[in-house]
Amino acid sequence: MGSITRNIKERNLSLNSARQLALTEPTLVLTLGLIVIMSFLNPYFLTINNFLNVLRQASVVGIVTCGITWMMISGSFDLSVGSIVSFVGIVFLTTINNGMSVPGTVFVSLLVGMMCGAINGLLIAWLKANPMIITLGTLSIYQGLAFLTSGGNYIKVPDDTPFRWLGNGKVGPIAVPTLIFFGVALILQWILTKTSFGHRIYAIGGNDRAARLVGIKVSQYRLVLYIVTGLCSAIAAMIVTIRGGYANNQAGLGLEFDAITAAVLGGCYMFGGKGSVLRGLWGAVLLALLDNAQTILGISSSNQLIVQGIVLIIMVSIQVYVFNRSKPE
Amino acid sequence: MKARTLHLLTGIIEQRIYVVLVLLILFSILFVPDFATPVNLSNLTVQLSIDGVIVIGMTILMIAFGIDLSVGANFAMSGIVYALLAKNGFPIPVAALGGMLAGGLIGMVNGLLVTKLKIHFFIATLATMVIVQGLAITVSSGEVVYAGVPNFEWLGRYQIGLVQFPFIVFLFVALIGHFILSQTKIGRYWYAIGDNQETAKRVGLNANRIFVYAFIAVGLSAGLSGVLFAARANAGSPSLGVDTALNVISAAVIGGVSLYGGIGSVPGASAGILIINILRNMLNLIGVSPYWQYVVRGIILSGVVVMDAYFNWAKRSV
């Protein structure tokens, strides 16, 4: 008798801890589950080649996600990143075609991205407008600018440009976009955890008003956050343009949704104050892994959209559940 | 005398939306060639009605303090459902009703996600937007769906003189919306939960259920609008509705509906959609490139959001 009850207790305990793990670390459970299931279904999935491929595919969304992660930690949002990517991509190629030097082109592209971010930041930080709706508005503005600068046409990447290395080059076995992605993530993570600037971002996200009361200049911080997000979008824009072989006004379509999904998938909090860039990186890789698995299984891209939406809903509702349970009421 | 001037001024500021509308109409009639022709006005009413129907639903939801970003996807999906049902032999009224109910269902799902799973409405509707887009592409195989049955286009094309049927529908929906918001209990409840959900709960309102009703209202209106547009275009298409949410939210905010809940009215929102569509029509007639219109639309939305933040400063800083 005694041993049976003990057995049941132990089983309950292990069930409980499994449930606990699924609630506190859904990202880990999803990652492991995906890898285990897929390695049974398809031998190609668990190869180094495929994994390097996934890392390269994750890089564009990943770089944008790095910016979005900062944004979410500070308790804010940016829906306009996709349009910034389209717009900067067109600016990038137009500058190359006008014969600008390599550093000049990089400078102009990054500057345009940062300016787009600065416009968002100024409207939101100084005029105190709702970030979701404002960036929905600027999404349309940058989309329009992308249309205007490209005339609605596709612009091809010139064949002889040194920038080709940026999208297709490799260092050892690792693709250059992956390296840039990891580099951006590490720098942003370092700022977030090792500098007072980063700590204050957490403070703002945790409690905006309290942060203001202890003397943090919240508006200035928000402005910088939006500029950094613009910068990340600009870097992503250059890579996606080179990799795609052309720029047009739809290059960044849906990227904001991918980036938000990736950040949430990695375990960043929707309510601000929690998360890290490395988690955003993990989320971006997991998202790419999910897409890769579905592509291997032959699931159509429209159905992948559905899956992505459902995964986002599940992850957010787990977060909300844990958040409400842990409230000290 | 001075007091009277002041009174007049406050009056103008409070009713600024209608003042702007009247000025805009006067300006267009006087300075924009071809604006005041019967054909142009008739076309204008159709364009305005398609988005206008959704604006009424969105107004209700925004008053109850929510936003639905999925209306565009919903709009496309409902049109496809209408076309598919009609194509497969259902009578037109049944197919139209089916399209509209599909919209209502999507709205209900949104409402349940927000109230039961407690997901923030922006994220929930962003996710359903993508899911519904995916569904729309899947069920239509990514192609335009032609119904190819007689009378399919009736709902969108029927005319009494120069008055188009969609415009009649819009007026009807606006009247019903206004009546519900201003004369019925549920309307008052929407204002109540939008203004202060905690208080509304404490006085015994079932805030969650009332909120779901608001989501169903916006879903139904998006469905109805999708059916009207599919009828007008004689087909359903998955690529529609890309900037529906943008237009609709802009119109509502221009019309004085607050992004922070509890404030707004159907006449105001209707004036908002009129302003947006007259502006767009004007730009078209003057010959401004459609690319610029994206920019203009975005600037308008950003501008009115800043305006909204300014006028609701007191309410928000409580």
Side-chain angles (χ1 to χ4, degrees):
Chain A
M1 272 307 271
S3 76
I4 293 177
T5 30
R6 199 169 62 236
N7 265 346
I8 291 175
K9 261 187 191 159
E10 268 169 15
R11 238 182 81 211
N12 277 345
L13 207 67
S14 65
L15 258 182
N16 258 342
S17 52
R19 186 164 160 266
Q20 205 62 35
L21 186 69
L23 285 179
T24 49
E25 263 313 331
T27 315
L28 186 67
V29 174
L30 189 60
T31 315
L32 290 180
L34 190 67
I35 290 177
V36 169
I37 293 172
M38 279 311 292
S39 55
F40 279 116
L41 289 178
N42 195 303
Y44 174 71
F45 184 76
L46 209 62
T47 56
I48 298 281
N49 254 339
N50 189 42
F51 193 65
L52 287 176
N53 193 16
V54 166
L55 283 183
R56 201 195 58 212
Q57 282 170 353
S59 49
V60 170
V61 172
I63 294 169
V64 178
T65 308
C66 291
I68 289 287
T69 313
W70 267 32
M71 208 91 244
M72 280 173 59
I73 291 172
S74 77
S76 195
F77 261 113
D78 192 343
L79 286 181
S80 69
V81 283
S83 292
I84 298 183
V85 167
S86 309
F87 179 44
V88 172
I90 289 163
V91 171
F92 174 55
L93 283 194
T94 316
T95 338
I96 294 181
N97 287 339
N98 284 339
M100 180 88 86
S101 67
V102 171
T105 309
V106 172
F107 178 73
V108 169
S109 308
L110 296 186
L111 191 70
V112 169
M114 286 161 74
M115 270 162 53
C116 292
I119 293 173
N120 286 338
L122 283 175
L123 287 171
I124 290 160
W126 259 280
L127 299 174
K128 315 278 183 230
N130 184 319
M132 273 283 194
I133 305 291
I134 279 289
T135 51
L136 194 65
T138 51
L139 179 155
S140 179
I141 297 180
Y142 305 145
Q143 185 81 45
L145 291 176
F147 260 125
L148 284 170
T149 36
S150 68
N153 300 318
Y154 283 67
I155 308 176
K156 250 179 72 71
V157 175
D159 290 324
D160 52 347
T161 168
F163 278 106
R164 289 216 160 242
W165 178 79
L166 193 68
N168 306 329
K170 279 187 176 180
V171 178
I174 301 170
V176 174
T178 314
L179 287 176
I180 298 176
F181 167 32
F182 281 36
V184 169
L186 286 177
I187 294 172
L188 291 190
Q189 173 73 5
W190 183 82
I191 296 176
L192 203 57
T193 50
K194 300 289 178 203
T195 66
S196 62
F197 180 86
H199 292 230
R200 288 181 180 173
I201 295 177
Y202 280 105
I204 292 171
N207 190 333
D208 180 283
R209 186 176 291 181
R212 192 169 293 135
L213 290 177
V214 298
I216 299 175
K217 294 197 170 70
V218 175
S219 313
Q220 291 180 14
Y221 275 78
R222 288 218 189 282
L223 177 62
V224 173
L225 283 168
Y226 276 96
I227 292 177
V228 169
T229 307
L231 182 67
C232 290
S233 309
I235 298 172
M238 293 197 276
I239 295 173
V240 79
T241 307
I242 295 289
R243 281 212 58 79
Y246 59 84
N248 78 334
N249 52 287
Q250 303 217 315
L253 204 70
L255 212 56
E256 62 283 345
F257 182 71
D258 289 339
I260 290 174
T261 313
V264 172
L265 221 53
C268 294
Y269 252 45
M270 307 292 314
F271 322 101
K274 270 188 184 170
S276 75
V277 179
L278 291 185
R279 282 194 158 273
L281 182 148
W282 185 359
V285 174
L286 181 55
L287 185 64
L289 212 57
L290 204 63
D291 281 350
N292 177 265
Q294 295 181 76
T295 310
I296 289 179
L297 294 178
I299 293 172
S300 72
S301 59
S302 58
N303 285 335
Q304 289 187 20
L305 275 184
I306 301 177
V307 170
Q308 195 181 334
I310 292 174
V311 168
L312 177 63
I313 288 179
I314 293 174
M315 294 304 259
V316 176
S317 42
I318 291 177
Q319 269 186 17
V320 175
Y321 177 73
V322 173
F323 181 79
N324 284 340
R325 208 181 47 166
S326 66
K327 255 197 298 199
E329 269 180 317
Chain B
M1 185 66 194
K2 216 174 183 185
R4 195 189 247 171
T5 331
L6 202 69
H7 189 70
L8 193 68
L9 260 177
T10 5
I12 289 178
I13 289 174
E14 263 169 20
Q15 306 297 328
R16 59 193 179 277
I17 177 69
Y18 305 107
V19 177
V20 170
L21 179 61
V22 170
L23 289 179
L24 188 67
I25 292 176
L26 280 179
F27 178 85
S28 311
I29 292 174
L30 290 178
F31 297 109
V32 180
D34 299 331
F35 177 81
T37 59
V39 176
N40 182 50
L41 290 180
S42 177
N43 283 335
L44 178 64
T45 57
V46 177
Q47 287 160 6
L48 122 99
S49 308
I50 300 289
D51 280 347
V53 171
I54 311 181
V55 171
I56 307 300
M58 191 66 96
T59 303
I60 290 177
L61 181 61
M62 284 170 71
I63 285 173
F65 194 19
I67 297 266
D68 188 348
L69 294 177
S70 70
V71 282
N74 191 340
F75 168 77
M77 185 72 192
S78 312
I80 291 172
V81 170
Y82 174 45
L84 281 176
L85 286 178
K87 194 178 174 182
N88 288 315
F90 285 90
I92 297 298
V94 177
L97 200 65
M100 199 175 147
L101 287 181
L105 188 70
I106 296 169
M108 192 172 81
V109 170
N110 278 329
L112 292 178
L113 287 176
V114 173
T115 55
K116 296 283 172 206
L117 296 180
K118 309 250 177 286
I119 304 178
H120 191 274
F121 51 80
F122 272 126
I123 302 300
T125 57
L126 196 65
T128 44
M129 174 182 99
V130 172
I131 294 175
V132 173
Q133 271 169 1
L135 274 177
I137 298 171
T138 307
V139 296
S140 65
S141 320
E143 284 161 9
V144 175
V145 183
Y146 294 100
V149 288
N151 289 331
F152 179 78
E153 74 286 358
W154 190 91
L155 284 170
R157 298 255 175 94
Y158 182 69
Q159 272 175 282
I160 304 169
L162 279 168
V163 184
Q164 310 252 9
F165 187 70
F167 189 57
I168 300 174
V169 174
F170 167 62
L171 289 180
F172 183 65
V173 171
L175 275 178
I176 292 183
H178 185 59
F179 175 78
I180 292 179
L181 273 175
S182 58
Q183 305 294 330
T184 65
K185 238 184 216 173
I186 183 80
R188 277 204 307 280
Y189 290 166
W190 278 326
Y191 279 104
I193 64 168
D195 196 49
N196 193 331
Q197 212 191 56
E198 274 311 305
T199 314
K201 273 182 184 162
R202 284 189 205 277
V203 297
L205 290 187
N206 187 342
N208 282 351
R209 183 180 296 172
I210 297 167
F211 199 48
V212 173
Y213 289 156
F215 263 108
I216 295 176
V218 73
L220 282 176
S221 66
L224 176 60
S225 167
V227 168
L228 287 178
F229 189 82
R232 180 89 187 163
N234 212 352
S237 159
S239 55
L240 293 173
V242 179
D243 35 49
T244 304
L246 191 79
N247 279 336
V248 167
I249 296 170
S250 310
V253 179
I254 290 177
V257 184
S258 169
L259 286 166
Y260 303 98
I263 301 173
S265 71
V266 168
S270 308
I273 193 72
L274 263 166
I275 290 180
I276 286 199
N277 276 283
I278 291 176
L279 266 179
R280 190 198 292 176
N281 186 267
M282 222 168 84
L283 293 176
N284 274 335
L285 290 176
I286 300 173
V288 175
S289 130
Y291 303 149
W292 269 111
Q293 300 200 12
Y294 277 92
V295 182
V296 171
R297 219 179 296 165
I299 291 176
I300 291 175
L301 179 59
S302 310
V304 294
V305 171
V306 170
M307 195 180 78
D308 173 65
Y310 175 73
F311 280 107
N312 293 305
W313 197 278
K315 177 176 155 70
R316 236 158 31 94
S317 56
V318 170

